[in-house]
Amino acid sequence: MIKAVFFDWSNTLARYIPRREELQSQALQEFGISISPQKIAPGLAIADRYLFEESATSSLRLRSPAERAKIYTRYQQMVFTVAGVSLPTNSDVFPKFMKKLNELSRRLKFVLFDDVLPSLKTLKERDLILALVTNMDADMRAMCQELGLAVYLDFIVTSSEVGASKPHPRIFLTALQRAGVKASEAAHVGDQYDIDVTGARAAGIKPILLDRLDLFPEVTDCPRIHSLSEVAQHLD
């Protein structure tokens, strides 16, 4: 019987505003390239998957600056390729674009998905232990308080405090210890197969893949849901 449910943060509970595709479109405009945010969005989804796979192999914060730069360049190259943008990463303009994009990205902030608070309220009414398990290094307690999540969360586990990032089992085992439950009594909900599903399963926790954009149609070895409102159906 499931007694505790852990949640990922980015693209599970929260997303950025302005949307990243809007900032990419705006930055490209500075260099005479006009493309709609809608055409950029699919490339970001594919590039995100690449970035998460890299993170699953080895935490990005443990990589050298040169390695991180190479990964982020490849990331942006994938976005451009899918969107049909002609701006080679070895051009003189590319570093200027990246600088502009970084400047615009300072405007980003998190907002909750519409299904988050109603779903967490429903789960809390079932007397479940709810927690955030994230690789984010920001002050998550303050952020959760600001967004109205704190009232539903029993605790928060971040990779920086544990010293290990998902999919490393340590972060999940820490969550189990704080929840005071066995691995077989916990479920973890996240949007990345290689990080959330693989990591939770390695710790003996039931994984639930949240696939809001239908990016993982091939996944059949764990519950795959499209909204947090579906979580409760997979806890029996």
Side-chain angles (χ1 to χ4, degrees):
M1 179 179 178
I2 300 297
K3 298 179 180 179
V5 184
F6 307 145
F7 294 91
D8 172 49
W9 178 255
S10 296
N11 297 319
T12 297
L13 297 181
R15 63 174 177 84
Y16 280 120
I17 58 168
R19 293 185 181 275
R20 293 173 301 152
E21 55 266 35
E22 294 173 4
L23 297 187
Q24 293 255 349
S25 177
Q26 186 176 340
L28 286 167
Q29 286 277 5
E30 296 281 330
F31 302 95
I33 300 173
S34 180
I35 184 169
S36 71
Q38 291 74 21
K39 288 187 176 181
I40 293 173
L44 282 171
I46 291 171
D48 281 347
R49 188 166 181 176
Y50 156 74
L51 189 63
F52 286 125
E53 288 171 353
E54 284 290 330
S55 298
T57 302
S58 176
S59 175
L60 295 184
R61 63 191 177 90
L62 300 179
R63 308 277 190 107
S64 69
E67 286 181 298
R68 287 198 298 272
K70 184 177 179 180
I71 289 170
Y72 289 129
T73 296
R74 173 62 179 149
Y75 177 98
Q76 193 59 51
Q77 187 178 48
M78 294 174 75
V79 175
F80 285 164
T81 299
V82 176
V85 172
S86 180
L87 181 60
T89 54
N90 60 355
S91 70
D92 293 338
V93 176
F94 183 74
K96 297 177 183 178
F97 163 80
M98 291 300 292
K99 181 179 179 181
K100 182 63 180 179
L101 183 61
N102 288 335
E103 290 173 358
L104 292 173
S105 295
R106 295 182 189 133
R107 297 164 41 200
L108 288 171
K109 66 176 183 178
F110 278 111
V111 295
L112 300 179
F113 287 98
D114 291 341
D115 59 359
V116 173
L117 295 181
S119 298
L120 265 60
K121 182 177 183 293
T122 297
L123 295 174
K124 202 64 183 173
E125 289 172 348
R126 293 178 56 166
D127 292 325
L128 291 163
I129 298 167
L130 306 181
L132 174 64
V133 179
T134 175
N135 287 347
M136 288 283 292
D137 290 334
D139 184 353
M140 300 308 299
R141 287 164 182 80
M143 197 177 302
C144 287
Q145 187 71 42
E146 179 183 346
L147 295 175
L149 274 176
V151 66
Y152 299 111
L153 298 176
D154 292 281
F155 59 88
I156 297 170
V157 180
T158 66
S159 58
S160 57
E161 64 180 290
V162 173
S165 300
K166 294 181 293 180
H168 196 289
R170 189 190 308 162
I171 191 169
F172 293 101
L173 295 176
T174 299
L176 289 173
Q177 183 179 32
R178 293 189 186 177
V181 300
K182 301 175 184 177
S184 60
E185 297 173 326
H188 175 73
V189 184
D191 70 303
Q192 290 298 319
Y193 187 92
D194 292 321
I195 290 181
D196 293 298
V197 173
T198 301
R201 183 172 283 145
I205 296 169
K206 177 178 181 175
I208 300 175
L209 180 64
L210 177 61
D211 192 6
R212 293 186 183 276
L213 300 178
D214 202 28
L215 298 176
F216 299 92
E218 75 281 4
V219 172
T220 58
D221 62 345
C222 70
R224 184 173 71 97
I225 61 177
H226 295 92
S227 167
L228 289 178
S229 63
E230 301 173 56
V231 170
Q233 304 170 25
H234 299 281
L235 301 182
D236 296 327

